[in-house]
Amino acid sequence: MNDAPIGIFDSGVGGLTVARAVSAQLPRESILYIGDTARSPYGPKPIADVRRYSLEILDTLVDQGVKMLVIACNTASAAMLRDARERYDVPVVEVIGPAVRTAMSTTRNGRVGVIGTAGTIGSGAYQDMLGVNAQLTVFAQACPRFVEFVEAGVTDSAEVLAVAEEYLAPLRHAGVDTLVLGCTHYPFLEGAISYVMGPDVSLVSSDTETAKDVYRQLISRDLLAGADAAPRHVYEATGASADEFLDLAHRLMGREVQQVRLVQTGAIELPRTAELPPRLG
């Protein structure tokens, strides 16, 4: 079991930032990554659809024998984290909580900004978790085009900078000193975001904070891979073209991803009630 892979899921390529951070902190761990490129982006989609898509992918990862699930998608985390933790008998790590904890400890003036997809911001997940601290004032902004840029491999154009200026102006004017990048695609745009916000604003990225949480969970549950483990990194995508995923991964991350295989997820029947029974064993 300890040498089983960590399963990482995202709606597309954004979760590769989480996979990279996990690999950097835990080099002996194997990783099985699935990007749901056939249905990306999740941000504008109805929450019920995101929930169904996400559980299909997580079922696929569990069926392949992972020892931990990492929901490397903020929109999916907001839509179905509770369902996932009730449904599976392996640990489930998500990206919202770790980033929130870091933002709380980072801010100096108590004014925290959050950017994310329309789905993530509309869910109120970050606002609710940050709102537990009464000393904080939270400013949230949806940045839907950011994912479109990243999924197209465009991260440093004049158009990216102009859109960043438009999206981030309210947060800059609000005087936030800490900005949470509430989407795993956004670290690919960190240069533009940091330029617009200025040097005095600390950026909190969910990829590195999530990797720290993965480390803690593996330690506490005695699930670390053995010293003689031979790690394997496997990348899968649901889209129609492995070459498109590979080309985009190379443009964004260099040659870290060597090959990708296409998978088809099995549709699952969801109950009509809000609760989902566990899928254990």
Side-chain angles (χ1 to χ4, degrees), residues 6-10 15 18-19 22 31-35 61 68 70 72:
I6 297 168
I8 301 179
F9 147 63
D10 185 61
V18 175
V22 169
I31 291 173
L32 174 56
Y33 179 95
I34 298 183
L61 286 168
M68 169 183 281
V70 180

Side-chain angles (χ1 to χ4, degrees), residues 67-198:
K67 66 180 178 182
M68 169 183 281
L69 292 168
V70 180
I71 307 172
C73 174
N74 286 264
T75 306
S77 294
M80 43 66 73
L81 175 61
R82 180 178 174 183
D83 293 331
R85 287 184 168 156
E86 291 179 352
R87 184 171 176 79
Y88 307 109
D89 60 358
V90 297
V92 179
V93 172
E94 47 80 37
V95 289
I96 296 177
V100 164
R101 291 191 293 271
T102 299
M104 286 182 174
S105 63
T106 300
T107 183
R108 304 173 303 281
N109 67 4
R111 301 174 78 81
V112 176
V114 179
I115 56 176
T117 67
T120 298
I121 298 303
S123 76
Y126 274 100
Q127 298 94 309
D128 291 345
M129 291 186 71
L130 287 164
V132 170
N133 185 338
Q135 304 303 311
L136 299 182
T137 304
V138 182
F139 304 87
Q141 175 69 44
C143 304
R145 293 195 64 194
F146 279 177
V147 171
E148 296 175 14
F149 284 130
V150 172
E151 291 287 339
V154 179
T155 59
D156 59 356
S157 70
E159 186 180 9
V160 168
L161 194 59
V163 171
E165 291 273 7
E166 178 184 347
Y167 283 154
L168 301 176
L171 302 177
R172 197 171 63 247
H173 294 155
V176 303
D177 74 347
T178 301
L179 179 64
V180 178
L181 308 187
C183 175
T184 50
H185 286 68
Y186 292 1
F188 291 118
L189 302 175
E190 192 166 338
I193 294 169
S194 179
Y195 177 80
V196 171
M197 293 304 297

